[in-house]
Amino acid sequence: MSLVNYMDIPAVAPDSIHSNVRKEWLSNRRKLEALRFNKVSEKAKATGRFTLLDHLIPYLTAGLKTIGIYDRGYKNALNISLKQHELYFDNLPQSFDGYKILHISDPHIDCLPGLEHVICRMIAALEYDMCVFTGDYRLGSYGAYGAQVVQPLSQIAQAIHARDGIYATLGNHDTHQAVEALEEMGMTVLTNETTYIKRGSEQLIITGTDDPYAYYTNKMAETLRTQETGFKIALIHSPELYKEAAENQYSLYLCGHTHAGQVCLPSGAPLISHLNKGKHLVSNFWKEGNMLGYTSAGCGTSGLPIRFNCRGEIALFTLRKK
Ligand SMILES: [Fe+2]
């Protein structure tokens, strides 16, 4: 079944591997990438990663151009919005009342030329404490990032000024080779890892897992099962670990992946969710138990550089103590 011998895929440079957790993740991720099939659970049969839609892209592009709406879709895609939300929590530590998180998801930066300039202009005047990326930085799905990804993505990273840094998780379009590139841009990639933002004796607990849409392993749920108590935030590419996070007392779950449909009906209803489970979590805010979740519409596009009835976005959250 394997199309590629995973030993042929170059490993991330050793000095970018921080811990045994990272080494274990790397070993598993390389094997899964070599299969070139979605891994949606430990038990479920893997399904082919390429969908009918991938094969239809050239025909769809030609069709949209013929009927004269391709350019409008492209213009729509570059017209992203800044969404600002105040989020109230009973259990937020007092020191973090007013804490601001900039959330950027799914740039697919080489799919939409010029998007990096739109993003840099949008965030230039913003103030925030931490920036988080929730995956899918490029259009392709295999191999290392090329200059067409690294250059514009670096431009965005350089435009981000966050006191507590930039944290990133991988999506289904990002291979293990992305980690080194992203960390060279100044991001801290969380691959089934947890980090802490401290203010005196209080802290935010930030957990990032690998992508559950295509690269599921039980290690993700295990990582979310941290015994530590406090205000816990999950950064995960797709919403599909919502039950595991809620069961483990996470307060906030930030994700993307769905593009909120990208091409929607005039009512805003998406034609495709690209979710294996949790299809009701395709966009915007949602609740699971006591946990608040947010599925970003993403700032980029995948497949075709177009959007209809579905605006891309960057979000700025202000955490408030209730
Ligand atoms: Fe994705």
Side-chain angles (χ1 to χ4, degrees):
M1 188 65 81
S2 172
L3 299 177
V4 177
N5 181 339
Y6 73 87
M7 294 308 290
D8 293 339
I9 300 176
V12 175
D15 61 1
S16 71
I17 301 170
H18 303 308
S19 64
N20 289 336
V21 174
R22 179 68 66 88
K23 283 181 188 167
E24 182 189 342
W25 165 80
L26 176 62
S27 169
N28 287 330
R29 190 47 138 96
R30 289 173 69 199
K31 289 174 190 170
L32 292 174
E33 284 172 22
L35 289 171
R36 297 206 174 197
F37 280 81
N38 281 353
K39 184 75 173 163
V40 297
S41 80
E42 288 282 357
K43 289 178 188 165
K45 260 189 176 177
T47 54
R49 188 169 296 165
F50 294 104
T51 64
L52 180 62
L53 188 63
D54 294 311
H55 298 291
L56 290 178
I57 282 172
Y59 305 103
L60 287 171
T61 303
L64 293 172
K65 284 183 175 174
T66 302
I67 60 174
I69 61 169
Y70 183 91
D71 289 347
R72 181 150 55 90
Y74 190 93
K75 203 173 153 192
N76 290 343
L78 283 171
N79 184 28
I80 63 173
S81 66
L82 173 68
K83 291 194 174 172
Q84 302 196 54
H85 301 282
E86 291 206 328
L87 311 180
Y88 287 82
F89 300 93
D90 287 326
N91 61 338
L92 183 73
Q94 190 63 50
S95 314
F96 291 93
D97 188 19
Y99 194 84
K100 288 179 185 285
I101 301 174
L102 182 67
H103 181 205
I104 301 176
S105 198
D106 304 272
H108 295 282
I109 201 69
D110 50 336
C111 185
L112 197 56
L115 179 64
E116 68 275 24
H117 305 304
V118 175
I119 294 173
C120 289
R121 273 198 302 274
M122 183 168 277
I123 66 176
L126 300 181
E127 291 186 0
Y128 42 88
D129 299 283
M130 174 169 64
C131 176
V132 300
F133 282 83
T134 47
D136 277 3
Y137 305 91
R138 54 101 176 261
L139 182 58
S141 299
Y142 299 107
Y145 290 167
Q148 77 281 9
V149 176
V150 172
Q151 196 276 331
L153 210 51
S154 299
Q155 218 173 312
I156 295 170
Q158 283 166 20
I160 295 169
H161 304 287
R163 171 186 179 184
D164 292 319
I166 310 172
Y167 293 91
T169 59
L170 299 186
N172 52 308
H173 286 253
D174 309 304
T175 66
H176 67 283
Q177 290 158 292
V179 174
E180 189 177 18
L182 295 172
E183 294 200 333
E184 277 179 3
M185 293 176 206
M187 303 183 192
T188 299
V189 182
L190 299 173
T191 56
N192 303 330
E193 291 162 291
T194 295
T195 192
Y196 308 89
I197 308 294
K198 307 238 180 224
R199 294 285 187 273
S201 60
E202 297 181 321
Q203 64 180 6
L204 298 182
I205 300 169
I206 315 288
T207 298
T209 75
D210 199 356
D211 164 48
Y213 177 72
Y215 295 107
Y216 180 86
T217 63
N218 285 340
K219 186 73 185 172
M220 297 174 189
E222 200 181 299
T223 305
L224 291 169
R225 238 175 269 131
T226 169
Q227 295 301 308
E228 292 167 280
T229 54
F231 192 88
K232 298 195 281 194
I233 301 175
L235 306 177
I236 301 174
H237 180 55
S238 84
E240 292 160 304
L241 293 177
Y242 66 107
K243 284 192 185 298
E244 290 86 343
E247 281 165 9
N248 288 287
Q249 287 78 51
Y250 278 75
S251 297
L252 180 61
Y253 186 125
L254 299 179
C255 60
H257 171 66
T258 63
H259 301 192
Q262 189 171 314
V263 173
C264 296
L265 297 172
S267 64
L271 300 175
I272 301 171
S273 74
H274 282 295
L275 293 172
N276 299 309
K277 55 182 175 178
K279 290 180 187 288
H280 59 297
L281 311 179
V282 70
S283 66
N284 223 318
F285 287 103
W286 41 269
K287 286 280 281 183
E288 176 68 18
N290 293 323
M291 182 180 76
L292 178 67
Y294 186 77
T295 308
S296 169
C299 58
T301 55
S302 187
L304 289 167
I306 57 166
R307 280 185 184 263
F308 288 104
N309 303 312
C310 180
R311 206 168 168 194
E313 66 169 76
I314 284 175
L316 181 63
F317 301 109
T318 304
L319 308 185
R320 292 286 182 200
K321 188 164 178 63
K322 210 184 263 181

